[in-house]
Amino acid sequence: MSFSSIKHMKISNNSNIITDFILLGFPCSKEGQILLFLLFLTIYFLTLMGNGAIICAVRWDQRLHTPMYILLANFSFLEIWYVTSTVPNMLANFLSDTKVISFSGCFLQFYFFFSLGSTECFFLAIMAFDRYLAICRPLHYPTIMTRRLCTNLVIGCWVFGFLWFLVPIILISQVSFCGSRIIDHFLCDPGPLLALTCKKAPIIELVFSTLSPLPLIIPFLFIMGSYALVLRAVFKVPSAAGRKKAFSTCGSHLAVVSLFYGSVLVMYGSPTSEHDAGTQKIVTLFYSVVTPLLNPVIYSLRNKDMKKALQKFLGI
């Protein structure tokens, strides 16, 4: 189905109820769709392999059975599900002529994508907290960051991440959609979805616009506060070698935070109307597909213990 024919599709005249949507994705020729399919399939498998290798390395190397690496393994597990919430459906759409996603499938993708994204923000925050304790409270670190506390923090991230968007998703799913079924995106994003409502729902939009930024803003402020205290502690270290060692333990995490929050803030830090559909897709691709691919590379290159564990696991 060509882009022009998709763009003019309407719902049946016999009903105003939309039972499915059309995800335009990246409109191009059939050959272009196949090339994109192969590209993202490769990225997807590399992401699964990279994050899976980190999980296995932490699981099987006794030296990495510490809170820092346990959190990293859980973060990698999260990244696998985060990229899985969008890429398989995107791959199917590349080979599909209709590019249709059901109503329930659209909202399930919406829920899991944003819930996993929120969980990632919470994980980045507790990983910053772990680094704060290790650098600013080194003597008390073993007694504070116990296995029990680490487990509770991990469970808390998953629970809060998946509870946060329950109310917004239920509210939006109750809205009536009519007219065009076309979503000019590769996933069910709230902006294009709300644009398809039969009439404006200011209360629902207010609830969503109020609740959705909080899992981004609150962890971000917590991360900045943690690293402000870390920097203050590091600058008090008398030796240059000591300061370098302290910075090296934070470097990987800071790089991941910068990649994720940098792209998310570009997307959501300004009104959606300022971004055209193409820009929205590219930025969303970066933090939903590219960042999960780069995270294992960042942690394996910048962390000597992780690099040794991966080499041992892979038999290099």
Side-chain angles (χ1 to χ4, degrees), residues 14-239:
N14 298 324
S15 174
N16 285 328
I17 299 174
I18 287 181
T19 57
D20 52 39
F21 298 95
I22 297 171
L23 289 175
L24 283 185
F26 302 91
C28 59
S29 65
K30 190 66 177 179
E31 294 76 14
Q33 296 283 308
I34 293 172
L35 287 175
L36 287 173
F37 172 83
L38 294 174
L39 171 64
F40 285 106
L41 181 64
T42 303
I43 291 174
Y44 182 55
F45 276 120
L46 289 174
T47 303
L48 297 185
M49 290 171 59
N51 285 286
I54 285 182
I55 295 170
C56 293
V58 173
R59 174 68 179 82
W60 289 327
D61 194 322
Q62 294 292 327
R63 296 173 302 173
L64 301 185
H65 288 186
T66 62
M68 175 181 173
Y69 294 107
I70 291 172
L71 291 174
L72 175 58
N74 278 275
F75 185 73
S76 293
F77 179 72
L78 166 66
E79 292 288 66
I80 289 174
W81 287 106
Y82 186 49
V83 75
T84 301
S85 68
T86 57
V87 173
N89 184 74
M90 189 198 311
L91 293 174
N93 274 358
F94 285 135
L95 304 180
S96 170
D97 290 329
T98 59
K99 304 186 183 300
V100 171
I101 184 171
S102 67
F103 185 90
S104 58
C106 183
F107 277 90
L108 279 173
Q109 185 190 62
F110 177 10
Y111 173 66
F112 280 107
F113 178 69
F114 277 86
S115 295
L116 289 164
S118 298
T119 305
E120 178 160 346
C121 293
F122 293 137
F123 260 104
L124 291 173
I126 64 170
M127 291 168 81
F129 175 65
D130 175 72
R131 293 300 82 208
Y132 157 75
L133 289 177
I135 294 172
C136 299
R137 302 287 184 87
L139 298 179
H140 300 287
Y141 179 78
T143 57
I144 297 176
M145 186 56 80
T146 60
R147 180 64 67 89
R148 181 177 179 180
L149 177 60
C150 185
T151 302
N152 289 338
L153 288 173
V154 168
I155 293 172
C157 286
W158 285 99
V159 171
F160 279 111
F162 274 81
L163 285 179
W164 198 275
F165 276 95
L166 269 180
V167 172
I169 198 73
I170 291 172
L171 288 175
I172 294 177
S173 66
Q174 301 305 308
V175 174
S176 298
F177 296 89
C178 57
S180 172
R181 295 181 293 163
I182 299 169
I183 298 175
D184 193 4
H185 214 306
F186 62 86
L187 55 80
C188 289
D189 193 70
L193 264 178
L194 290 171
L196 300 181
T197 55
C198 298
K199 59 180 180 179
K200 291 291 183 180
I203 295 178
I204 292 177
E205 291 185 16
L206 177 63
V207 170
F208 184 80
S209 61
T210 302
L211 291 179
S212 59
L214 293 181
L216 282 171
I217 296 170
I218 295 174
F220 181 72
L221 294 176
F222 187 85
I223 292 168
M224 293 298 99
S226 297
Y227 277 110
L229 295 173
V230 167
L231 284 174
R232 189 177 70 174
V234 168
F235 286 132
K236 290 181 179 179
V237 176
S239 66

Side-chain angles (χ1 to χ4, degrees), residues 216-217 220 260-270 275 283 287:
L216 282 171
I217 296 170
F220 181 72
F260 180 77
Y261 269 100
S263 54
V264 169
L265 289 175
V266 167
M267 185 69 197
Y268 298 106
S270 57
H275 307 295
V283 177
Y287 68 78

